């Protein structure tokens, strides 16, 4: 008997009876472990942690392994630890990196003792939620004017590699810490190890790590770990919302990997696949995660989720179920990035359910609609300009082009987190100043100014100062 089993001999003991990849069946002749209990067996490379997900009969349970099962054999003793998966909560988790078990990954002192909470928690009841629709101001002009985020809502961040997702995420974290005195939580689901390490370094260099918690279920980990890491992140976030009464910005990269991990687990569990091969419980599993993201009278969890759309097919079940929860869509464009228009947010494809006169007010709504109309008109004229030149356009069309090009440049912005690369001081622009600037450009107040005067500035007054 190993030391672990001797120390836990008083606990409920069983035996492994079947192993299929990450799915393990175990028999407990004395007491059947409850659902979501944590089971531990000794493997050749350390303890193997399994979470109970189903009862097969009066003595057998089926669990999903959250660590690799290599070396596990039938007949191996397995211990019911009589507790669910737990993670540490409190101010002590700020500035640290965790895995799904609440173990630290940053080569610093491990977190022990104090309060640990189960990763499975019920969503806030409807009667305790705030029913007011509030704007979550980010200080980033392109987002606040054209795709405003909802406080306690969920926004989708769409974009390929190299268009500035990570830079936008680090800037959002910086602004939330400064504006709301809140905390940010980055949850990497199915992240590559390289991406996690790069993000950690970038956040450290940008000075935003002290008010951020990072938690990863990486791509090389079993599907069980990737499937549960989102719940672990939400448990940490809920502490700051409910106990510390702070605003929390929860960044999830990538929500599709959560669905993908559930699909892998479902296949190993022997469930009959649903449409396009997804798990039959897709809607339920996604709802369990998304419904915990909400606002209360005292605090809010606002989520920005990177969304991968399989084969650009927006009718894919994973995409359809995810979109049902999003209140805003921020689309990053490679074309705008190549033109140096950062943040490379596509103003015509991005949008928000918050952008209605009842929520943002008549003025904001009409300014946003006018910006879209102007930029859409410029988009239609681009082919004619490419073939015939700007001189062949009518005076009205030339005015539209001039306005649109100045708007495009005004919607760029220097970021605090890129100061060391660009040499330009970061700007945080209040919504009122962003709207005023857009209005003045639409009224042709800056038609005599060179386009470059509006590029990479904060408020519109800076363009006047450049003259």
């Amino acid at each position: 008997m190993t030391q672990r089993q001797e120390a836990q001999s008083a606990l409920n003991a069983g035996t492994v009876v079947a192993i299929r990849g990450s799915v393990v069946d175990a028999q407990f002749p004395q007491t059947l472990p409850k659902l979501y209990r944590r089971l531990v067996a000794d493997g050749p490379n350390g303890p193997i942690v399994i979470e109970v997900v189903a009862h097969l009969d009066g003595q057998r349970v089926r669990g999903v392994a959250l660590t690799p099962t290599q070396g596990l054999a039938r007949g191996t003793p397995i211990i019911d630890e009589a507790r669910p998966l737990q993670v540490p909560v409190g101010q002590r988790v700020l500035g640290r990196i965790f895995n799904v078990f609440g173990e630290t990954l940053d080569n610093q002192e491990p977190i022990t003792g104090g309060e640990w909470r189960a990763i499975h928690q019920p969503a806030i009841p409807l009667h305790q939620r705030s029913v007011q629709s509030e704007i979550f101001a980010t200080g980033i002009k392109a987002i606040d004017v054209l795709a405003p985020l909802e406080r306690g809502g969920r926004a989708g961040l769409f974009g390929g590699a190299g268009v500035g997702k990570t830079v936008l995420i680090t800037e959002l974290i910086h602004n939330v810490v400064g504006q709301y005195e809140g905390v940010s939580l980055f949850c990497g689901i199915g992240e590559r190890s390289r991406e996690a390490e790069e993000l950690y370094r970038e956040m450290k260099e940008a000075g935003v790590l002290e008010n951020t918690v990072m938690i990863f279920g990486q791509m090389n980990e079993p599907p069980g770990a990737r499937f549960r890491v989102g719940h672990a992140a939400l448990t940490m976030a809920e502490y700051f919302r409910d106990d510390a009464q702070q605003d929390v910005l929860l960044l999830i990269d990538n929500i599709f990997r959560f669905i993908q991990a559930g699909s892998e687990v479902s296949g190993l569990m022997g469930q009959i696949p649903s449409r396009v091969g997804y798990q039959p419980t897709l809607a339920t599993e996604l709802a369990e995660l998304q419904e915990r993201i909400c606002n209360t009278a005292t605090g809010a969890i606002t989520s920005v989720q990177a969304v991968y759309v399989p084969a650009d097919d927006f009718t894919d079940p994973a995409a359809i179920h995810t979109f049902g929860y999003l209140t805003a869509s921020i689309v990053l464009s490679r074309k705008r990035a190549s033109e140096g228009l950062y943040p490379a947010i596509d103003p015509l494809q991005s949008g928000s359910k918050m952008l209605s006169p009842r929520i943002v007010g008549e003025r904001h709504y009409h300014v946003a609609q006018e910006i879209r109309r102007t930029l859409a008109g410029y988009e239609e004229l681009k082919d004619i300009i490419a073939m015939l030149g700007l001189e062949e356009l009518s005076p009205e069309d030339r005015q539209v082009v001039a306005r649109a090009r100045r708007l495009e440049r005004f919607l760029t912005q220097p970021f605090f987190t890129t100061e060391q690369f660009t040499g330009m001081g970061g700007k945080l622009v209040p919504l009122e100043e962003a709207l005023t600037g857009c209005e003045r450009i639409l009224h042709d107040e800056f038609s005599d100014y060179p386009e470059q005067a509006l590029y990479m500035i904060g408020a519109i007054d800076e363009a006047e100062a450049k003259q």
Side-chain angles (χ1 to χ4, degrees):
M1 197 180 252
T2 66
Q3 283 184 340
R4 171 182 293 276
Q5 286 163 336
E6 281 171 13
Q8 297 176 332
S9 57
L11 293 173
N12 187 18
T15 312
V16 173
V17 292
I19 307 154
R20 280 189 311 283
S22 294
V23 174
V24 177
D25 292 355
Q27 186 163 9
F28 286 84
Q30 297 166 335
T31 312
L32 199 67
K34 293 178 182 175
L35 291 178
Y36 301 137
R37 278 283 173 84
R38 175 183 160 125
L39 311 179
V40 177
D42 277 331
N45 303 316
I48 296 167
V49 181
I50 296 154
E51 184 184 49
V52 177
V53 292
H55 290 161
L56 301 179
D57 55 36
Q59 287 195 339
R60 291 185 307 142
V61 296
R62 181 162 288 168
V64 174
L66 287 89
T67 50
T69 54
Q70 283 92 339
L72 190 65
R74 282 191 293 181
T76 303
I78 189 165
I79 299 292
D80 169 16
E81 292 196 331
R83 63 185 175 95
L85 289 166
Q86 295 175 320
V87 288
V89 295
Q91 300 294 332
R92 60 198 175 132
V93 302
L94 292 172
R96 306 298 301 271
I97 306 186
F98 298 92
N99 63 12
V100 69
F101 306 112
E103 298 165 348
T104 52
L105 303 174
D106 49 11
N107 294 326
Q108 294 177 38
E109 283 294 308
I111 287 183
T112 55
E115 188 182 358
W116 289 60
R117 288 187 186 171
I119 65 167
H120 297 281
Q121 300 287 346
I124 292 281
L126 284 174
H127 65 87
Q128 290 179 20
R129 299 189 185 198
S130 172
V131 293
Q132 290 180 317
S133 293
E134 292 178 64
I135 296 292
F136 184 85
T138 63
I140 299 169
K141 291 179 285 190
I143 293 176
D144 289 348
V145 174
L146 296 167
L149 307 188
E150 181 184 9
R151 183 173 173 268
R154 310 162 194 89
L157 181 62
F158 304 84
V163 293
K165 278 204 302 290
T166 303
V167 173
L168 192 57
I169 281 170
T170 50
E171 187 70 6
L172 282 167
I173 289 171
H174 176 278
N175 292 0
V176 165
V177 169
Q179 262 189 297
Y180 291 92
E181 296 178 352
V183 298
S184 300
L185 207 145
F186 183 90
C187 174
I189 304 177
E191 283 278 279
R192 296 169 185 85
S193 304
R194 167 186 62 78
E195 291 172 337
E197 191 269 337
E198 282 174 7
L199 186 66
Y200 176 72
R201 268 193 294 111
E202 283 172 22
M203 285 189 174
K204 205 167 187 177
E205 285 168 19
V208 298
L209 193 62
E210 302 80 46
N211 289 288
T212 307
V213 187
M214 300 176 78
I215 181 163
F216 290 98
Q218 291 174 5
M219 199 173 263
N220 61 328
E221 293 184 45
R226 286 180 270 130
F227 193 45
R228 288 295 183 232
V229 72
H231 296 277
L234 271 162
T235 299
M236 290 181 173
E238 283 165 349
Y239 168 86
F240 291 107
R241 179 192 65 193
D242 301 334
D243 295 45
Q245 299 189 349
Q246 289 177 288
D247 275 1
V248 185
L249 179 67
L250 173 65
L251 301 133
I252 300 176
D253 190 6
N254 188 305
I255 199 68
F256 174 75
R257 306 275 177 224
F258 167 78
I259 294 168
Q260 202 174 35
S263 183
E264 286 181 53
V265 169
S266 172
L268 291 166
M269 293 273 290
Q271 293 177 340
I272 297 168
S274 180
R275 191 170 148 237
V276 200
Y278 285 104
Q279 62 271 40
T281 50
L282 166 61
T284 311
E285 289 164 0
L286 190 61
E288 281 175 357
L289 190 77
Q290 298 279 16
E291 287 298 331
R292 288 171 69 181
I293 301 168
C294 66
N295 57 347
T296 64
T298 54
I301 298 174
T302 304
S303 174
V304 178
Q305 307 173 5
V307 183
Y308 168 71
V309 180
D312 292 336
D313 176 14
F314 284 81
T315 64
D316 187 273
I320 288 169
H321 284 94
T322 304
F323 291 151
Y325 290 98
L326 301 181
T327 50
S329 300
I330 301 164
V331 181
L332 298 180
S333 152
R334 193 171 299 283
K335 186 170 177 292
R336 289 179 71 80
S338 67
E339 292 169 6
L341 299 172
Y342 288 105
I345 294 166
D346 188 322
L348 296 176
Q349 285 190 284
S350 303
S352 170
K353 291 177 183 173
M354 301 297 284
L355 203 58
S356 78
R358 187 178 55 81
I359 297 169
V360 297
E362 292 284 345
R363 178 192 175 214
H364 185 166
Y365 175 74
H366 288 303
V367 168
Q369 293 301 98
E370 196 56 41
I371 292 169
R372 285 223 173 89
R373 200 175 295 119
T374 305
L375 293 175
Y378 175 41
E379 204 63 37
E380 288 172 9
L381 293 167
K382 276 183 178 174
D383 288 343
I384 299 169
I385 296 167
M387 287 187 291
L388 303 175
L390 196 62
E391 295 74 26
E392 296 301 313
L393 296 178
S394 68
E396 292 81 11
D397 285 347
R398 262 182 283 183
Q399 214 169 23
V400 168
V401 171
R403 265 185 227 137
R405 288 180 65 84
R406 280 163 179 76
L407 279 170
E408 280 185 336
R409 276 142 191 79
F410 179 62
L411 290 173
T412 62
Q413 188 169 339
F415 281 175
F416 291 96
T417 51
T418 57
E419 281 179 15
Q420 67 266 41
F421 309 118
T422 62
M424 289 186 279
K427 306 287 181 186
L428 191 145
V429 185
L431 176 60
E432 182 60 33
E433 289 185 20
L435 289 172
T436 301
C438 293
E439 268 182 334
R440 292 178 67 185
I441 292 168
L442 288 166
H443 292 151
D444 293 331
E445 285 186 39
F446 293 87
S447 54
D448 299 333
Y449 284 59
E451 291 171 3
Q452 206 59 26
L454 297 162
Y455 179 67
M456 283 293 171
I457 61 170
I460 199 77
D461 302 343
E462 293 176 35
E464 295 171 331
K466 275 187 180 182
Q467 284 296 87

